[in-house]
Amino acid sequence: MILAVAGAKVSIAQQIDVKPDTIVSVSKDRYQIESNRFWDNWFINAGAGAQIYFGDHDKQMKFSERLTPSFEFNLGKWFSPGIGVRAGVTGFKVKGVTQNGSHSTGVQYDGKPWDGYWLFNQEFNYYHIHGDVLFNLSNIFSGYKQDRFYTISPYAGLGWMVTNDAPSQKELSANIGIYNSFRLSDALDLTFDVRGAMVNDRFDGETGHRKQDGNLSATLGFTYKFKKRGWEKPSSVVITYSDAVLNSLRDKVQQLAEDNEALKAQLAASQGKTITDIRVEEKILAAPILVTFPINQSVVSNEARVNLGFFAKVIQAGSRDITYKVTGYADKGTGTKAINDRLSRERAKAIYDVLVQEFHVAPQQLEMAYEGGVDNMYYDDPRLSRAVITIAK
């Protein structure tokens, strides 16, 4: 049958799916880590042990008689594997001896008089509010290791020591100590904390030849670490395709171009004459695009924008009838369901906005979706689940 030439119908005869090879390159530098958000790496600590106070006349008392229980509670945060801060309260009771009768129990100490005066048992309650800066030497000098069993963290800080027993006193304190941590699980540590505090000589109600009184405590306790608990190594994701497959696709695209040129020549040569039934098939390369995000973030990086710009040109050069689905994902292993739903939706919207607003892809060619938190999708690596995948439907 002979047809009059009024135009040429272009149709999609085939869509070629290419399976990519995804390579995750993780930094092996033990001193490099990715920074976390402010609400990550918080911890609480509670412990109990013994303490001893060093006042003007306490050395006249037997060491064992001066020991008293000590309790502590701390709330803190690690800003990096090597630097952290905490605020806490310690204290309970001080025992010693007094010459001037301050905090005296009224019982004369069974010992020799000092400088011609008898000493009396002393006892008073106190509490000590403090803030410390911790330095994890294990991570600073040996590099970060999430499953390290033992870490040692010296610290220094300031505090406020208070006794409300008459005569009441409030004094500034200076503190140093060693925070020893033994890993029991990902969330729980056994801790051994040795603290030394210096306070003004008048804190116990008695001044003498000492410029400073002191308090030494040792407590055994537990630390609970809130999620997110550790740090991740920097990584990069590279998506590659088989050269053989790409070469085959290039050959097919080249053949398509030659067919189009032949069609144009045939139409030009017809000059109003009739030609036999002609049909041109347009093949579209619709490879999936994977864009990953740092944990708890939905900002599109400049590197990802470059890849999206190339992808936008492919969309615009192809058929307007093709719709591309933009699907956001989050890592199920971190965050609540509500947070992951919001995060995956924001990631999909971020990619959608870049394609439409920056590279002028027609909105009707894009369909946005989100899956919330998902299990590891590729290579059992949670980083590859914090992503957006864009693919032709």
Side-chain angles (χ1 to χ4, degrees):
M1 180 178 182
I2 306 300
L3 301 176
V5 178
K9 181 179 180 181
V10 180
S11 65
I12 300 172
Q14 181 177 347
Q15 177 175 310
I16 302 172
D17 293 326
V18 182
K19 293 184 178 180
D21 181 18
T22 303
I23 302 172
V24 181
S25 176
V26 180
S27 173
K28 295 182 179 179
D29 189 339
R30 60 185 179 178
Y31 297 101
Q32 281 191 340
I33 52 94
E34 290 183 352
S35 59
N36 290 336
R37 299 170 69 92
F38 177 78
W39 294 113
D40 296 331
N41 304 105
W42 285 82
F43 64 89
I44 57 173
N45 166 255
Q51 64 182 335
I52 187 169
Y53 191 83
F54 298 90
D56 287 297
H57 305 292
D58 291 339
K59 64 182 180 180
Q60 308 299 323
M61 193 178 195
K62 293 179 181 179
F63 182 88
S64 60
E65 295 176 338
R66 293 159 56 194
L67 288 174
T68 59
S70 177
F71 302 95
E72 67 171 345
F73 178 83
N74 300 287
L75 174 66
K77 170 181 171 56
W78 290 101
F79 290 97
S80 73
I83 304 294
V85 297
R86 68 177 181 179
V89 58
T90 61
F92 181 51
K93 182 180 294 187
V94 165
K95 283 185 178 181
V97 291
T98 176
Q99 185 186 58
N100 68 357
S102 62
H103 301 294
S104 172
T105 64
V107 178
Q108 181 177 300
Y109 180 65
D110 185 17
K112 296 180 180 179
W114 185 86
D115 200 20
Y117 295 90
W118 286 99
L119 300 176
F120 290 85
N121 288 344
Q122 181 186 62
E123 185 176 312
F124 60 94
N125 297 310
Y126 85 103
Y127 61 90
H128 184 199
I129 302 171
H130 56 82
D132 306 317
V133 180
L134 300 97
F135 305 90
N136 188 318
L137 298 186
S138 301
N139 287 334
I140 291 174
F141 291 108
S142 300
Y144 172 63
K145 184 179 180 183
Q146 185 170 354
D147 59 354
R148 179 177 282 121
F149 173 69
Y150 170 70
T151 59
I152 181 170
S153 304
Y155 61 85
L158 297 174
W160 190 244
M161 197 173 289
V162 178
T163 176
N164 291 319
D165 294 350
S168 62
Q169 197 69 31
K170 301 177 179 64
E171 295 292 342
L172 184 69
S173 68
N175 308 275
I176 58 172
I178 299 178
Y179 178 72
N180 302 273
S181 181
F182 303 86
R183 185 179 187 271
L184 300 180
S185 69
D186 186 43
L188 192 65
D189 289 345
L190 176 68
T191 59
F192 180 61
D193 195 339
V194 180
R195 172 187 296 275
M198 290 192 304
V199 68
N200 193 285
D201 183 29
R202 60 177 173 261
F203 180 73
D204 61 357
E206 189 167 12
T207 57
H209 299 294
R210 304 173 64 94
K211 293 184 179 180
Q212 302 287 335
D213 285 358
N215 190 75
L216 179 65
S217 64
T219 56
L220 192 66
F222 293 96
T223 292
Y224 178 80
K225 296 169 285 186
F226 295 97
K227 288 186 176 181
K228 181 174 183 280
R229 299 184 175 104
W231 281 266
E232 294 178 353
K233 298 288 186 179
S235 64
S236 58
V237 179
V238 180
I239 301 177
T240 61
Y241 296 88
S242 165
D243 287 339
V245 174
L246 287 178
N247 288 334
S248 174
L249 291 171
R250 292 188 186 103
D251 293 342
K252 292 177 181 179
V253 172
Q254 179 63 31
Q255 183 62 49
L256 173 62
E258 293 174 358
D259 290 345
N260 284 338
E261 291 300 322
L263 174 61
K264 289 179 182 179
Q266 193 172 6
L267 290 174
S270 68
Q271 296 181 347
K273 300 177 182 179
T274 61
I275 60 175
T276 307
D277 184 20
I278 297 175
R279 183 169 180 265
V280 179
E281 295 181 353
E282 181 181 353
K283 298 177 181 178
I284 301 298
L285 172 61
I289 296 296
L290 173 71
V291 178
T292 60
F293 293 82
I295 188 170
N296 293 333
Q297 294 186 25
S298 58
V299 177
V300 182
S301 67
N302 289 337
E303 180 182 2
R305 278 182 160 84
V306 172
N307 293 329
L308 290 173
F310 288 122
F311 187 58
K313 291 181 180 179
V314 173
I315 296 176
Q316 292 162 341
S319 172
R320 295 285 181 173
D321 296 329
I322 298 180
T323 301
Y324 295 83
K325 189 172 184 180
V326 182
T327 307
Y329 301 87
D331 171 21
K332 188 176 181 180
T334 58
T336 63
K337 183 180 184 303
I339 291 175
N340 287 333
D341 285 345
R342 173 185 58 78
L343 195 57
S344 63
R345 181 174 64 251
E346 290 176 353
R347 287 170 175 168
K349 184 65 165 56
I351 298 299
Y352 177 92
D353 289 343
V354 169
L355 290 172
V356 173
Q357 298 176 11
E358 296 186 24
F359 299 112
H360 310 295
V361 173
Q364 59 268 26
Q365 284 192 262
L366 299 178
E367 177 184 316
M368 193 170 63
Y370 64 95
E371 296 294 333
V374 296
D375 293 321
N376 297 346
M377 296 190 294
Y378 306 106
Y379 298 95
D380 197 27
D381 190 335
R383 298 179 184 86
L384 301 182
S385 297
R386 304 162 192 156
V388 169
I389 296 177
T390 306
I391 189 171
K393 295 181 63 177

